[in-house]
Amino acid sequence: MSKSSRIPGFYKLSADERLDKVKEFADLTSEEIEIIKSMSGIELENATKMIENSIGGISVPIGIATNFIINQNEYLIPLATEEPSVIAACSNAAGLGRKKGGFTAKSMGNVMRTQIQLIKVKDLESAKNNIEKNKSELLELAQEKTPTLSSMGGGAKDLQLKELDTKRGKMLIVEIYIDCKDAMGANACNTVAESLASKIEQMSDAESLLKIVSNLATERIVEAHATFDKESLGGEQVVERILDASEFAHNDSYRAVTSNKGIMNGITSLAIATGQDIRAIESAAHAYASISGRYIPLTTWEKDTAGDLIGKIKIPMPVGIIGGASSVHPTSKICLKILNVNKASQLAEIITSVGLAQNLAAIRALVNEGIQEGHMKLHARNIAISAGASGELIEKVSEIMIKEKNVKFLRAKELIKKLEK
Ligand code: MEV
C-alpha cells in the first residue's frame, strides 16, 4: 500500500502513538525514535565540536505537519517551533491543497555567488581586461580548491565583474558562481574567494579586501504553486477576502513584512529541524522581498476561471543536505530521513511549499476568525501548566478558561484549587 501523509486524528494521538505513525511512514529505527524523543539529540561533548565555549543546549519542540503532497509525493513534515498554531495551521492548509493535487515546486538549481572586493585599483579597464583574459585559468584554480564539488559536476561555473562607484573611490567586485550541488555551499564559496584573491590581486594590480559568499542567493530561487478549491476554503467570499488581504500586503510594506513573517514561520521551522543555516535563509528571503526597491510579499494570490484560489511563492532557498549541521546533528539527520530527501533541491522545494501553505493558513485565519482563537487553546494549556495543573486537570482548567474568555494565571490557580477538591 502506498504511503499517505493524511492521517486523520493525528493530533488526537499521544506523542508515542504519533511517533509510531512517523516510524512506520519513514521506516525509522527504534534508536532514531529514542534520539528524537530525547528532545536534544546531541551530547555536550559533541556540542563542543560544533561551537566554541559550549555549556549546554536549548530544545525546541518538533511537531509533524501532515497532509502534504509536493510534486506528487506524500510528505510528513517535521517542524521545529516554539509557536503555537503553526503546525496545526500548516497541516490544515496542506489538507486543503490535497484536493487539487497538492503543491508543485521547482528549484532553479544550487548556484551561489562568492565575492572578492578589489580596492585601490590603479587602472580599472586594464584590471578588468586582465581578469577577463584569465577567466578560465581562475575557474580551473577554483575547481581545484573544491575537489569534492568538482568531482560531482559542481564547483565554479562562471566569473563576472562589477564596478562600484563608492564614496571611498571606485571598486571592482569579482563574482564567482559556484554550483554547490547538495551542500548549502557557504564554506566552498569562502574557500574559493580566499584562495583566488592573491592571483586576482596580481592580475588587477589592486588590493583585495573582503572575500566572502553573498547570501542574496538569486541563483537559487524556488517557485511553488498550489490551487485551493473554493468550497473547501469556505466559499467564494473567503476567496475574495483572501485576495483583498493579499492586495493589502502588496501595497503596504508594513503588512508585507508580517505576511512574510508568517511564511517564515513554516520555512524557518523546517530549516531548524533539518539543520540549515536559518540566518542565510531569512536574510536571503527578506532581501529578495525588497529587490525591486520596495518590500513586497513573497507570495501572490489570484483566482482561476473556476473561482478557485491559486497561490504562488518565489523565494531564494539556500539549503543543503551534506556538510553543516544537517549531516552531523542526529536529530536533523532523522528529520531528513522523515522527509526522505536525497537532494538539496528537493529539500528546497519542500521548504518553499511549506512556506506557501503557512501563508495560506495565516491569511485564511485572518480573514475569518482571526488568529487568536487558534492560539488560545495552546496558550490556555500553557497557562494551566504554569499555574501548576497536571494530568487531566490541564485540559479541564484550560477548557473552562477558554469558555469564560478569561485565560489568566490567577484564574488558572483558582480553578486548580477548586477542581482539586
Ligand atoms: C504570526 O506568527 C504570523 C501572522 O502574523 C502572519 C500574517 O499576519 O500573515 C499570523
Side-chain angles (χ1 to χ4, degrees), residues 43 53 214:
E43 303 294 326
N53 301 354
S214 166

Side-chain angles (χ1 to χ4, degrees), residues 83-86 249 255-265 358-366 370-372 375:
E83 186 168 329
S85 302
V86 163
R255 170 62 203 147
V257 170
T258 315
S259 180
N260 288 343
K261 189 271 179 185
I263 294 171
M264 300 316 281
N265 276 347
Q358 202 73 55
N359 187 226
L360 173 71
I363 310 183
R364 184 164 172 254
L366 287 168
I371 58 153
Q372 286 309 86
H375 276 292

Side-chain angles (χ1 to χ4, degrees), residues 2 19 44 74 123 145 245 280 309:
S2 61
L19 270 168
L44 186 55
E74 297 273 353
D123 180 342
K145 298 291 170 192
L309 186 70

Side-chain angles (χ1 to χ4, degrees), residues 140-162:
E140 261 169 47
L141 184 60
Q143 286 293 68
E144 282 166 25
K145 298 291 170 192
T146 54
T148 315
L149 271 185
S150 311
S151 69
M152 291 159 61
K157 296 292 167 198
D158 197 9
L159 180 153
Q160 303 280 340
L161 298 171
K162 186 160 91 180

